[in-house]
Amino acid sequence: MEKLIGEFSLGLFFWQSLIFIGLFLLLKKFAWTPILDAVNERETIIKDALASAEAARNEMESLQSDNKRILKEARAEKEALLKEARATRSELINMAKEEAKVEAQKILEQAQKVIQNEKQAALNELRDQVGSIAMDIAGKVLHKELESNEKQLQLVEQLLKEINLK
Amino acid sequence: MPTSLNNFYHIFTLTIALFSAPLSLTAKESETPVDLKTEIKEYISHHLKDAYDFSLFSYSNDQGKHIYVGIPLPVILWDNGFHFFSSTKLNHGQDVVPSGDYYYKLEHSKIYRTDAAGTIDYDKSHHPTNLIPLDFSITKAVVSMLLIAFLMFFLFKGLAKSYSVNSRLPEGVGRFFEPIVLYIRDDIARPNIGEKKYRNYMGFLLTVFFFIWFLNMLGLTPLGVNVTGNIAVTFGLSMLTFLITNLTGTKDYWLHIFDPLGASMKWYAKIPLYIILIPIEVLGIFIKPFSLLIRLYANMQAGHIVLMSLIGLMFIFKSWLGSPLSFGLAFAISIIELLVALLQAYIFTMLSALYFGFAAEEH
């Protein structure tokens, strides 16, 4: 200990303190503060860049999922539309079929009616013609056989009743 | 000093020439009348101390006279007024320097006030009893520190400047030093002091780390300056740690010293404990920086002693077997000293940060 104290030089201590404190103050002003500031700033920039890259990636991911969702929705809509169209088509077809059937029925009925009428008319005409022909024939026949008109008519009426065309 | 030792110094200066040295030495060894071991011992102890001139090497000329080659430095003394003269006048302790009304002489690396004849009186234990003037000389250690201070200033100013020029990236040698700066911030200051206050202490921690490291490294160069192995220097450094710790101490820091048990006990129960505890805590305030100063001083001093002793062994062995062996050892120790230089700087910074952490602590 005595040796240590003997070795201690006040002058050296004085200069050492002076140089060190001077160096400390100079370096603090011109080196450490700018260095630490620059490093901090750099670290903040890196951190921000990383964060924004992360955010961009998240955004892209959400965009992608959005796209997927939209696509899915569109597909579903298309499907629904198609289904609807198909349903409409078959409905239309059914409706047309029904209508056609009704129409056909109507036409058929009308045709039957016309046919009936025509038949009736034809029958009536035929009946008249057959009647007149028969009358002619009968007249001619009866002209010979029957002298009186009354007898002739009586016979015709009777005959007509027998010939029932149906 | 005899020839062998001058060679010794020469070799220490030019460490590269170590292998060839023992050969030239053995030839001259027979001429030396003084005991070699004592000389080496004295030489080492001389080297460990500060010097008044920056000597590079010395040799003996044909007449056997010592010629010292080095840079003279100014000697500044305060002895009832300033005395200012060049260190060449001291002539390595051989001449008496008249300055003002007094005479001064260098004896065992210290300047004493003497009479005109330069007599130095000794007491029983062989200590000079002459008056020692207040010494503010620009010694070898001061010059080394100035050198390192300039180096550091330009180095780190350059690093700071490169950030603005080179878009926040270091350039050149700064690429090597930036990770160290960041290491001190992230692994020394932040964990020990805390995120909130570490920034206030960064300036001191960085300065002290690089200052000690560079000076330690300078001590390993053939210039052989032993600045950090000087008690006044380590005292100055740890003094600053002491001052910063206690001047920035929070209420909690002082409470921890004067009321370490806090509210965990009744006041009357604490009294007998505190009679012992408080003195220990108060002593701790001083012991902490004291351990810093002794650790750095002793480590650097020991490193230099071991290294120089191993080199000195070469001159004692004087053989083809022993000298390369001690060279190998000296080489290995030099490598270890490189590590120690860094390690001691790290430990000093680390412990300073730890003490600042205590001071800045808030519950």
Side-chain angles (χ1 to χ4, degrees):
Chain A
M1 194 68 205
E2 200 186 320
K3 192 169 166 275
L4 281 185
I5 293 165
E7 266 181 37
F8 184 84
S9 158
L10 194 68
L12 188 56
F13 169 68
F14 166 76
W15 287 115
Q16 190 276 334
S17 305
L18 198 72
I19 291 169
F20 187 85
I21 291 169
L23 180 67
F24 164 68
L25 292 175
L26 278 175
L27 279 179
K28 195 175 162 66
K29 186 168 189 317
F30 292 108
W32 305 136
T33 309
I35 286 174
L36 291 173
D37 281 345
V39 168
N40 272 349
E41 202 181 318
R42 192 178 66 198
E43 277 166 3
T44 333
I45 286 171
I46 291 171
K47 223 178 265 172
D48 286 354
L50 282 175
S52 69
E54 181 78 11
R57 211 181 60 195
N58 284 346
E59 201 172 324
M60 200 139 100
E61 254 165 34
S62 77
L63 267 178
Q64 260 171 357
S65 71
D66 260 14
N67 281 350
K68 248 180 222 164
R69 189 176 54 78
I70 288 168
L71 210 67
K72 213 169 152 189
E73 274 176 13
R75 206 169 283 155
E77 205 170 326
K78 188 188 83 177
E79 205 79 1
L81 275 174
L82 272 175
K83 217 172 174 180
E84 208 175 320
R86 228 174 271 143
T88 317
R89 193 186 64 176
S90 58
E91 201 180 321
L92 271 174
I93 289 171
N94 282 348
M95 226 156 78
K97 265 186 193 162
E98 207 68 30
E99 232 165 275
K101 220 184 260 172
V102 169
E103 198 74 15
Q105 198 69 32
K106 230 186 213 165
I107 291 168
L108 213 66
E109 268 169 24
Q110 223 159 10
Q112 266 170 355
K113 222 182 219 168
V114 170
I115 289 168
Q116 200 68 35
N117 288 349
E118 290 292 313
K119 200 175 86 183
Q120 204 62 42
L123 269 177
N124 288 346
E125 204 177 327
L126 193 66
R127 204 183 282 156
D128 286 351
Q129 269 187 10
V130 168
S132 69
I133 290 165
M135 258 195 353
D136 275 353
I137 296 165
K140 274 169 191 169
V141 171
L142 282 172
H143 198 69
K144 277 173 184 177
E145 286 184 11
L146 298 170
E147 294 294 319
S148 82
N149 267 349
E150 269 173 52
K151 270 190 181 170
Q152 286 170 5
L153 271 173
Q154 228 168 2
L155 188 69
V156 170
E157 279 293 325
Q158 201 184 327
L159 282 169
L160 272 174
K161 265 175 198 166
E162 278 166 24
I163 309 160
N164 200 3
L165 280 169
K166 257 188 189 173
Chain B
M1 252 181 252
T3 23
S4 63
L5 265 192
N6 296 320
N7 267 314
F8 171 38
Y9 197 94
H10 194 86
I11 288 151
F12 186 71
T13 315
L14 307 162
T15 334
I16 319 132
L18 274 170
F19 259 129
S20 59
L23 191 66
S24 63
L25 241 144
T26 42
K28 290 174 188 169
E29 208 50 62
S30 52
E31 299 163 14
T32 52
V34 192
D35 179 23
L36 190 62
K37 281 183 193 171
T38 358
E39 272 182 45
I40 289 174
K41 213 172 142 191
E42 255 175 39
Y43 199 89
I44 292 172
S45 74
H46 175 79
H47 158 79
L48 292 174
K49 283 177 191 151
D50 204 2
Y52 285 96
D53 63 335
F54 207 113
S55 51
L56 298 172
F57 59 91
S58 63
Y59 61 95
S60 300
N61 62 7
D62 298 338
Q63 285 88 49
K65 200 171 175 284
H66 282 296
I67 310 289
Y68 292 92
V69 178
I71 305 151
L73 299 170
V75 176
I76 306 162
L77 302 174
W78 172 261
D79 194 6
N80 297 327
F82 274 113
H83 298 268
F84 186 88
F85 51 90
S86 163
S87 67
T88 39
K89 284 190 179 167
L90 292 166
N91 199 9
H92 299 269
Q94 280 156 13
D95 291 356
V96 179
V97 183
S99 175
D101 302 332
Y102 307 111
Y103 296 92
Y104 299 100
K105 191 171 187 290
L106 185 67
E107 175 79 13
H108 286 292
S109 309
K110 257 195 180 140
I111 292 176
Y112 295 94
R113 193 208 279 175
T114 61
D115 52 13
T119 42
I120 289 191
D121 306 314
Y122 293 98
D123 62 9
K124 276 178 237 155
S125 50
H126 204 71
H127 288 305
T129 52
N130 291 46
L131 188 132
I132 302 168
L134 268 181
D135 189 348
F136 291 103
S137 304
I138 308 294
T139 57
K140 196 176 177 181
V142 176
V143 171
S144 307
M145 283 191 287
L146 276 172
L147 206 73
I148 291 298
F150 275 110
L151 179 75
M152 276 175 74
F153 181 69
F154 288 108
L155 191 70
F156 291 111
K157 197 171 180 288
L159 176 61
K161 208 180 155 198
S162 74
Y163 285 111
S164 53
V165 182
N166 195 15
S167 66
R168 295 183 197 88
L169 286 174
E171 249 176 348
V173 77
R175 277 193 220 144
F176 174 73
F177 287 108
E178 197 209 75
I180 301 173
V181 172
L182 292 185
Y183 178 82
I184 292 170
R185 187 192 66 174
D186 295 336
D187 289 274
I188 294 180
R190 271 183 172 157
N192 283 315
I193 303 169
E195 201 61 43
K196 231 169 36 184
K197 287 183 171 176
Y198 84 94
R199 194 62 202 261
N200 303 337
Y201 299 99
M202 276 307 283
F204 178 77
L205 292 175
L206 286 167
T207 316
V208 89
F209 175 82
F210 287 109
F211 192 69
I212 295 174
W213 186 29
F214 288 175
L215 279 173
N216 288 350
M217 294 296 270
L218 191 69
L220 292 175
T221 61
L223 290 173
V225 279
N226 181 28
V227 184
T228 37
N230 202 301
I231 196 91
V233 174
T234 57
F235 178 79
L237 290 172
S238 55
M239 177 84 141
L240 286 172
T241 300
F242 171 78
L243 286 177
I244 293 171
T245 309
N246 291 296
L247 291 179
T248 62
T250 56
K251 206 183 110 204
D252 288 319
Y253 168 72
W254 291 111
L255 260 178
H256 183 77
I257 289 164
F258 290 108
D259 189 16
L261 293 172
S264 62
M265 236 186 239
K266 292 272 188 309
W267 65 270
Y268 46 80
K270 286 197 272 189
I271 287 173
L273 281 172
Y274 278 10
I275 291 169
I276 305 161
L277 268 181
I278 289 176
I280 289 173
E281 290 282 350
V282 170
L283 218 64
I285 303 173
F286 298 98
I287 288 170
K288 280 172 194 164
F290 186 73
S291 74
L292 277 184
L293 95 90
I294 291 295
R295 183 181 298 108
L296 182 59
Y297 162 77
N299 270 288
M300 295 331 289
Q301 187 87 307
H304 279 253
I305 291 171
V306 169
L307 201 54
M308 292 199 76
S309 303
L310 282 171
I311 294 171
L313 274 182
M314 273 181 245
F315 301 89
I316 292 168
F317 282 146
K318 288 185 280 183
S319 74
W320 280 104
L321 180 71
S323 298
L325 188 74
S326 55
F327 168 75
L329 274 172
F331 185 72
I333 292 290
S334 296
I335 305 277
I336 292 171
E337 279 300 306
L338 281 177
L339 181 72
V340 170
L342 180 63
L343 197 69
Q344 286 306 319
Y346 168 75
I347 289 173
F348 196 101
T349 316
M350 181 73 191
L351 289 175
S352 292
L354 194 71
Y355 302 154
F356 297 159
F358 293 148
E361 180 174 42
E362 265 168 28
H363 295 295

